[in-house]
Amino acid sequence: MAAALIAALPALAQTGAQRDAVSSKGKPPVRPDVVRPAAPVQPAPAVPKAPVAAVPEGQLQVISPATALYERGELLFRQQSYAAALSEYTDLVKRFPNSPRREEALYRVAECYRLLGREKDAQAAYAYFLQAYPRSLLADNARLRLGNYAYKAGQFDQAVSVLRPLLEGESKAEASLLAAARYLYGLSLLQEGQTAKGRTELEALMKNPEAKLYWPAVAQALAQSYEQSGDRQQALDAWKRTFSLAKDGNVQAMAAARAGWLALQMEQVPDAERYFGRARLLASSGEWRTAANSGLFRIYSQAERHGDLLKLAESEEGKFLESMRPDVLYGVPAARYALGEYGAADQGFQEFLRAYPQHPIAPYAGYQRLVARSQVAPEDLLEDTQAYLTAYPRAPYQPLVFYLRAQALTRAQRYPEAEKIWRDLQGVTGELADKLPADEIQFELARALYEQEKWGAAADAYLKYIADYPESEQLLLARMRAALAFQNNQRPREALRQWELVLTAAPPESEARQSALEQVGLLSQQTGDTKRAVEAFGRLLQEYPQTEIAAIAQFVLGDDAFARRDFAAAEPALLAARKLDAESHYLLATERLALLSFTQEKPEATRRYRAEYDAAAAKDPAAGPLPAALYFWLGRQAAADEQFARAAEYFQLVAAHPEPGDFAVPVWWELAEAQRREGRYAASVESYRRYRQAKPDLADATEVLLALAQAQLGAAAPDDALPLVEKAMVQTPEGEQNARARALLGDIYLARGDFSQAAKVYSTLSLLYEDPQITPRALERAGEAYQRAGQAEKASQAREELRRRYPDYR
């Protein structure tokens, strides 16, 4: 076993960093009744380093190879070059098994692995060290390291077995090392379920000055253990110790919050309040402030400290334990109720009853709510009126109770029931009839009809109210409701008439005037009166620029200006419309903007709006493309700017357009040309083919034949291009087109590898045709063809003639 581990050391040094790390599951959390704990803090155990022998100054020493390896390793180790140090120590261990330095080197191997984060290798090395040197002065260090690894991995039984010999024997280890070992040992016993023994170890550690470093974490572990087993007083004492010992603010906050809850459970209220206050000072947020807030709320509620409770609830809204939510939701309105704030109490009780209708305290909360509502507005309570009518079925004031009940039903939005009562009340006669407000009954009847969407009856009821009570303060509202009822009843002209009356009567800068301008504009647009709509929307935007229908108004104004070719006014309005409501107006407004730019022949703006429109239209299945003329024009503009890829994109849009119109045929020529100039020859050939099919009268025109031949040549099909060029030369025996055909013929021969024939064609062309572009190029290509045909002399002659006739040609 020992030999195998030594042999494995070089491999570990090379591959250990690539191995899977040991899964660290952490310690199982201890969960007390009230709040969730944090895991105990584990200070890193302090392990003394091996001593390094010093060489007396002025002496020359001859050292052994093993010692040299060890000292190099020590130097590298002190420089924190752990990988390099590992190599030196490993070399020593392998090569010098009998060296007195081997023991320390083997321990250093384990330390290097640990410091390099290679936990598996470190554990194996520490274990081997213990096997090889069980009585070493460093054996205790190795045991502590192994115990720590086992604890971190959740292997508590292994940690106990590794650490027990260190603690139960007569160890000569330093006190600090023993303290660290006992700390891990005690924690492991607790986690193993050996509670009494673990507590004994940890309590003893609390009395050991050498273990002072571990006291906060030990106190916390003991507190959690006592709390878990229900030993409240001991848990409280331990949490208090944790609070006084801990340096970390979060740990202090946790300890204070837990101590507070334990004190509260034990009815030690002053202590509880004090510790909750300390937890809140230490934790500005997080779970421990939440726990402390909840404890304070419980104290204030039990002591009926209503002002303190409300202040806490308002300043710490939402920062309470979830288990305290019913207490908080009920406690706040209960405090307001006790302070006589009945309106706020009523709202709070409503919220509590909605959230917890089956809560044990819900019946009492409901009673308190009824009392509170009776103080604020008794007529709002349906339960009160029903109780009254049930208790007193023959009371003479039943019509007045029904009047209150109708109001309650209206406020509760139970409009069918309210409508019946309002109609019944209109039939009341006698002395009680004078006590009932007839105008309110008529108005509320109209409202009940309106809320039930009985639009025709509601409009008639509001018009009757307007006719019967022309001086009413509700007149403007009644007319607005009547107008809306007409709108919903699909009677836009009658609605428009009412809105015009509202516009006349509404005060300046009022909401009623804003609504009237909005609806007059919308209804005028709906009924086809664009002029009136534009007028209303113009005034609306001027007086109420923040109106919710600003987008619609801007679009109508922009669309009208566009139709009148007032482009200066149209563009800003359309831009505003799509910015304000992209979902409703972006597509249409962008379409108008694109057409506007197209009409004004602004290529850059047209391109931008076209791109924006197409991107939006792609997400809307119902949206169609912009007019083909626009895409065709953009394609021409791009081709003129020699942006052939962009031109091809636009022409393809025209080719695929559902309504290409007059551009259905010419677009194939333009597309083919753009593709050819772009270098997409195969696509260009197909586009020329489509053009020739669509335009048979020009299918064999010389220009068409030459363009197609050039594309076929670019597509590596010279054999297909040859008959086209020959045909073009026959039907155009002279002139520039003939010269272009000859040049293309030479290119075809050159592509086919017939260099002599290509040179002959180029030379003949240079003699027959004089052109500042075609002729010098022909001479240049002739020289190239002669050269490739192996006729160097003729190649030189062609180049010399090119220099002589066209000295500036490049």
Side-chain angles (χ1 to χ4, degrees):
M1 175 64 183
L5 184 57
I6 293 173
L9 285 174
L12 290 172
Q14 294 171 5
T15 64
Q18 301 171 3
R19 297 176 184 173
D20 293 336
V22 176
S23 173
S24 179
K25 298 181 179 178
K27 298 176 291 302
V30 180
R31 293 183 176 273
D33 294 335
V34 181
V35 288
R36 181 171 61 81
V41 178
Q42 298 179 40
V47 179
K49 294 184 179 179
V52 179
V55 177
E57 185 177 355
Q59 294 186 20
L60 179 63
Q61 276 190 304
V62 178
I63 60 175
S64 70
T67 302
L69 284 172
Y70 180 79
E71 291 186 354
R72 280 200 300 273
E74 286 294 284
L75 177 62
L76 292 166
F77 190 91
R78 286 193 297 273
Q79 293 173 348
Q80 299 182 8
S81 300
Y82 301 119
L86 175 62
S87 178
E88 299 293 329
Y89 293 134
T90 301
D91 198 14
L92 189 158
V93 170
K94 285 183 61 182
R95 291 173 53 196
F96 303 102
N98 298 317
S99 170
R101 291 293 191 179
R102 184 177 185 276
E103 175 186 338
E104 294 172 84
L106 187 56
Y107 183 79
R108 283 298 204 208
V109 166
E111 287 288 277
C112 287
Y113 282 140
R114 178 180 66 83
L115 294 167
L116 288 168
R118 293 165 57 177
E119 294 190 1
K120 284 186 178 181
D121 294 336
Q123 286 179 272
Y126 285 125
Y128 174 65
F129 176 82
L130 285 174
Q131 180 184 351
Y133 302 102
R135 299 183 182 280
S136 169
L137 292 176
L138 296 170
D140 289 340
N141 298 51
R143 287 189 182 92
L144 179 59
R145 294 295 189 203
L146 285 173
N148 192 43
Y149 277 127
Y151 184 85
K152 285 168 58 181
Q155 298 166 352
F156 306 117
D157 57 341
Q158 185 176 334
V160 168
S161 65
V162 169
L163 295 169
R164 184 180 289 123
L166 176 60
L167 298 170
E168 293 183 351
E170 300 219 357
S171 174
K172 296 180 181 179
E174 294 181 5
S176 60
L177 185 146
L178 289 173
R182 194 168 299 281
Y183 167 67
L184 287 174
Y185 185 63
L187 290 181
S188 298
L189 288 170
L190 287 182
Q191 299 292 353
E192 272 262 271
Q194 300 184 46
T195 306
K197 193 171 182 180
R199 288 176 182 173
T200 300
E201 292 288 342
L202 294 179
E203 289 288 4
L205 206 59
M206 292 296 295
K207 300 173 184 177
N208 182 359
E210 294 295 335
K212 192 172 184 179
L213 172 67
Y214 306 102
W215 285 354
V218 170
Q220 180 181 340
L222 285 168
Q224 289 176 304
S225 176
Y226 288 132
E227 193 170 344
Q228 186 179 32
S229 61
D231 299 333
R232 288 183 178 175
Q233 187 59 56
Q234 292 191 76
L236 175 58
D237 293 341
W239 281 122
K240 288 181 178 180
R241 276 192 296 179
T242 304
F243 176 79
S244 62
L245 291 170
K247 304 300 181 185
D248 181 84
N250 189 57
V251 175
Q252 286 184 305
M254 174 185 65
R258 286 176 175 271
W261 271 103
L262 285 166
L264 184 58
Q265 291 167 13
M266 298 171 66
E267 299 184 0
Q268 300 174 17
V269 177
D271 261 9
E273 185 170 358
R274 182 169 61 257
Y275 274 103
F276 287 142
R278 290 175 178 176
R280 279 163 47 82
L281 286 174
L282 288 163
S284 60
S285 61
E287 58 182 329
W288 306 120
R289 187 175 184 87
T290 297
N293 289 339
S294 301
L296 279 180
F297 192 94
R298 179 70 57 81
I299 290 173
Y300 295 156
S301 178
Q302 292 175 352
E304 297 185 0
R305 292 163 59 178
H306 307 304
D308 291 337
L309 184 147
L310 292 175
K311 184 178 179 181
L312 177 67
E314 290 171 2
S315 64
E316 301 292 310
E317 183 178 1
K319 299 178 182 178
F320 296 93
L321 293 172
E322 184 61 26
S323 60
M324 283 285 294
R325 188 169 184 269
D327 302 66
V328 174
L329 211 56
Y330 168 76
V332 170
R336 296 196 182 281
Y337 177 89
L339 294 172
E341 300 174 8
Y342 298 117
D346 172 35
Q347 295 175 8
F349 285 133
Q350 287 185 62
E351 185 179 354
F352 172 78
L353 291 168
R354 280 196 296 268
Y356 300 100
Q358 305 303 321
H359 195 280
I361 205 172
Y364 181 61
Y367 164 76
Q368 288 178 300
R369 173 178 176 260
L370 291 177
V371 175
R373 289 181 65 78
S374 71
Q375 298 297 314
V376 178
E379 68 273 18
D380 288 348
L381 301 177
L382 283 172
E383 296 83 355
D384 285 352
T385 57
Q386 185 60 53
Y388 181 90
L389 293 171
T390 302
Y392 308 102
R394 299 183 183 278
Y397 302 105
Q398 274 201 359
L400 295 178
V401 175
F402 274 115
Y403 165 72
L404 297 177
R405 183 167 180 78
Q407 287 184 321
L409 288 167
T410 297
R411 278 184 280 270
Q413 300 182 9
R414 292 162 59 176
Y415 299 111
E417 297 169 76
E419 178 194 349
K420 183 179 184 306
I421 296 177
W422 291 125
R423 288 192 185 279
D424 291 343
L425 290 174
Q426 284 187 324
V428 172
T429 58
E431 183 179 350
L432 285 180
D434 295 335
K435 298 183 180 294
L436 294 171
D439 57 342
E440 183 182 347
I441 290 171
Q442 177 62 35
F443 187 88
E444 292 298 335
L445 172 60
R447 178 184 176 185
L449 294 167
Y450 180 90
E451 296 292 350
Q452 294 178 77
E453 300 183 4
K454 297 179 178 180
W455 304 121
D460 292 340
Y462 278 123
L463 288 181
K464 184 178 187 308
Y465 177 85
I466 292 168
D468 292 346
Y469 307 102
E471 304 300 323
S472 169
E473 294 181 357
Q474 300 272 58
L475 190 67
L476 197 60
L477 177 58
R479 200 176 291 283
M480 293 170 68
R481 292 276 182 82
L484 290 170
F486 280 129
Q487 281 178 254
N488 289 318
N489 200 34
Q490 306 303 316
R491 295 154 70 179
R493 297 189 184 280
E494 292 171 272
L496 181 58
R497 188 179 308 115
Q498 294 300 319
W499 282 117
E500 291 283 12
L501 292 170
V502 172
L503 187 58
T504 302
E509 302 181 4
S510 65
E511 291 185 7
R513 178 173 174 79
Q514 177 179 342
S515 298
L517 283 170
E518 290 171 346
Q519 297 303 325
V520 167
L522 292 170
L523 289 166
S524 297
Q525 183 73 6
Q526 181 182 345
T527 56
D529 189 350
T530 304
K531 181 179 179 181
R532 181 70 180 106
V534 168
E535 178 188 355
F537 284 142
R539 290 164 64 188
L540 174 67
L541 292 173
Q542 183 178 3
E543 297 180 29
Y544 303 95
Q546 302 304 318
T547 173
E548 291 184 359
I549 66 163
I552 299 174
Q554 291 282 14
F555 181 79
V556 170
L557 293 177
D559 196 40
D560 176 69
F562 177 78
R564 294 185 286 102
R565 301 183 69 80
D566 184 356
F567 302 136
E571 186 171 17
L574 292 169
L575 286 171
R578 69 176 196 167
K579 180 179 180 181
L580 289 167
D581 186 358
E583 184 176 353
S584 300
H585 300 291
Y586 188 90
L587 203 61
L588 287 175
T590 305
E591 178 189 42
R592 303 292 195 280
L593 288 165
L595 294 174
L596 184 151
S597 301
F598 171 49
T599 304
Q600 293 180 291
E601 297 187 358
K602 295 180 177 180
E604 183 178 350
T606 306
R607 282 195 297 271
R608 184 174 71 253
Y609 289 132
R610 166 263 155 187
E612 292 171 358
Y613 176 85
D614 283 355
K619 302 174 185 177
D620 185 351
L626 292 166
L630 183 145
Y631 295 116
F632 192 83
W633 179 73
L634 285 176
R636 283 278 186 87
Q637 293 293 319
D641 294 337
E642 296 187 359
Q643 297 179 359
F644 301 112
R646 177 184 288 180
E649 176 191 348
Y650 291 128
F651 290 135
Q652 283 172 329
L653 289 173
V654 177
H657 203 286
E659 297 179 6
D662 294 340
F663 305 100
V665 174
V667 70
W668 291 109
W669 172 260
E670 299 290 350
L671 177 58
E673 288 286 280
Q675 290 168 331
R676 179 173 62 81
R677 298 292 297 278
E678 184 188 355
R680 293 168 54 203
Y681 298 110
S684 177
V685 168
E686 176 60 20
S687 297
Y688 282 127
R689 184 187 67 78
R690 295 288 296 271
Y691 175 73
R692 296 179 77 198
Q693 287 179 339
K695 193 70 173 174
D697 56 321
L698 292 179
D700 290 333
T702 299
E703 184 178 2
V704 175
L705 293 174
L706 293 179
L708 175 57
Q710 190 171 356
Q712 288 174 328
L713 182 60
D719 292 344
D720 294 337
L722 181 59
L724 297 175
V725 173
E726 290 174 341
K727 186 174 182 178
M729 291 175 63
V730 169
Q731 65 189 32
T732 310
E734 57 184 27
E736 182 180 349
Q737 294 285 45
N738 182 269
R740 287 182 57 228
R742 288 177 181 275
L744 189 53
L745 181 62
D747 293 343
I748 292 170
Y749 285 134
L750 198 62
R752 294 172 64 180
D754 192 348
F755 304 124
S756 296
Q757 190 64 26
K760 187 183 298 183
V761 171
Y762 289 133
S763 297
T764 303
L765 173 58
S766 68
L767 294 173
L768 294 177
Y769 195 76
E770 185 70 32
D771 180 88
Q773 294 297 326
I774 297 175
T775 307
R777 181 182 179 279
L779 286 169
E780 181 183 34
R781 300 303 293 272
E784 178 186 349
Y786 279 129
Q787 188 70 40
R788 296 178 70 181
Q791 301 179 45
E793 184 177 350
K794 289 187 176 183
S796 298
Q797 290 173 357
R799 294 187 184 112
E800 179 59 33
E801 184 177 354
L802 173 62
R803 284 192 294 272
R804 179 177 57 79
R805 291 173 61 182
Y806 300 98
D808 297 327
Y809 177 73
R810 294 290 183 271

